[in-house]
Amino acid sequence: MAAAIAVKNKNPGRAAVSALQTFAWVGTDKRGMKLRGDELGKNENLVRAELRKRGIVPSVVKVKKDSFFSGSGGTIKAKDIALIARQLATMMQAGVPLVQTFEILASGSENPAVKKLLNAVKTEIEGGSSLSEALSKHPAQFDELFVNLTRAGETAGVLDTILDTVASYKENIEAIKGKIKKALFYPASVIAVAVVVSAVLLIYVVPQFEAVFKNFGAELPAFTQMIVQASKFLVSYWWLALMMAIGFGFAFFMAMKHSWTFRRFLDRMLLKLPVIGSILHQSAISRFARTLAITFKAGVPLVEALDTVAGATGSIIYSEAVLRVKEDVAVGHQLNLGMRQTNLFPNMVVQMVAIGEEAGALDTMLLKVAEFYEQEVSNSVDALSSLMEPFIMVVIGTLVGGMVIGMYLPIFKLGAVI
């Protein structure tokens, strides 16, 4: 019985990426062995011709459609790009040609969106584009920093070293973001559960207590009456409360997506929060320092490097500050003087940058600043996790415990009635 063998993708050369489709095919080779696989191509005829060139006689070639559960084929996350950067660096250092590198990475990827992206970049390279040019055609995945550093590496002939630097940078940034998300996820999830439990109590439990209290004819305390009224409102208008919650969430999402003013306002407010604001400040400074260090070390002019760094700080406030620093540097001022004028960078950071400029070792000093503040972020996140435990207890006690106490307050008056 013929064995079914999965064959890796190959695309039809220089076709435009936007016109390519994925075709599922079944065929036989010269030995009569049954083969099957997926192929990128413009149309069915070109795919059949490509298969015949490889000695495969296709019997079925059809456009591959996503299943109902596969949606658009997955999404590409920042950690996927960090992994691609690390894999590219490893393959380049091993001397694997670029086209073969992307073919290997695409065939080994389990994410359809990542596979499509890698195949698209590979097609651009096969068509004569450099790696930086191919990456620049996918700005949503490969940011300006990634492209500029890759271009600098190609120019200097040290692409493998630059890709290793980019990979380390992406991994460090993702590690910092992961720590911050981890610190905030636990309290947010606990508070969400507490709100849900409170809603269940108000809808199902409180009405039962109210019926018992009415049978005894006791006058309810003010706090208990408040809880009972809240329960009645939620029982009668639960749909309104649900719509308000969904509407608020939708409005917040749309404002974050379309309103720069709202994002700037929210960013400024978050930076002013105790503990959390400090972590966001430290994170922005560490990203600024590390990004500027690796771009400057790669030979990118300082003004151009600052333009790239502005979009990598993760904060609108810091991004605006970096652009102001760029304007100062462009007219001849020193970097440390421009940073001092923003009133955002601590004196220690400004002094280290000044020393780096005087000694001609700006990249080294910036890396030391980045390492220091990355450690500060890690320590602050650990401290935040410890501080959140009593805060969570207070929230749960206020929401759930408050309702329980409110329901038992009338018991102290029942004795007078009985």
Side-chain angles (χ1 to χ4, degrees), residues 68 82 114 137 308 328 342 348 355:
F68 177 78
V114 172
K137 295 182 179 180
T308 300
D328 292 339
T342 64
M348 185 269 284
I355 294 171

Side-chain angles (χ1 to χ4, degrees), residues 271 280-290 292 306 309-310 313 315-326 328 335-354 366 369-370 373:
L271 288 172
L280 295 177
H281 275 291
Q282 294 164 356
S283 174
I285 293 172
S286 68
R287 294 175 71 168
F288 163 83
R290 183 167 291 280
L292 184 57
L306 286 169
V309 171
T313 59
S315 165
I316 293 177
I317 302 302
Y318 273 89
S319 178
E320 292 176 342
V322 173
L323 290 176
R324 290 198 299 271
V325 172
K326 185 195 81 168
D328 292 339
L335 176 62
N336 71 87
L337 180 61
M339 292 172 61
R340 190 185 300 277
Q341 300 306 313
T342 64
N343 295 320
L344 277 177
F345 296 95
N347 186 59
M348 185 269 284
V349 176
V350 176
Q351 291 297 329
M352 290 191 70
V353 169
L366 285 169
V369 170
Y373 277 96

Side-chain angles (χ1 to χ4, degrees), residues 365-386:
M365 284 299 181
L366 285 169
L367 284 174
K368 291 184 181 296
V369 170
E371 291 170 359
F372 173 79
Y373 277 96
E374 285 167 1
Q375 185 60 46
E376 286 294 297
V377 169
S378 180
N379 295 337
S380 298
V381 167
D382 292 339
L384 178 63
S385 300
S386 300

Side-chain angles (χ1 to χ4, degrees), residues 189-200:
S189 59
V190 172
I191 292 174
V193 170
V195 171
V196 172
V197 170
S198 299
V200 171

Side-chain angles (χ1 to χ4, degrees), residues 268-304:
R268 182 176 291 279
M269 292 299 102
L270 288 174
L271 288 172
K272 291 181 179 181
L273 290 177
V275 184
I276 294 176
S278 176
I279 293 176
L280 295 177
H281 275 291
Q282 294 164 356
S283 174
I285 293 172
S286 68
R287 294 175 71 168
F288 163 83
R290 183 167 291 280
T291 307
L292 184 57
I294 63 175
T295 50
F296 188 71
K297 186 177 181 179
V300 179
L302 185 56
V303 174
E304 186 179 339

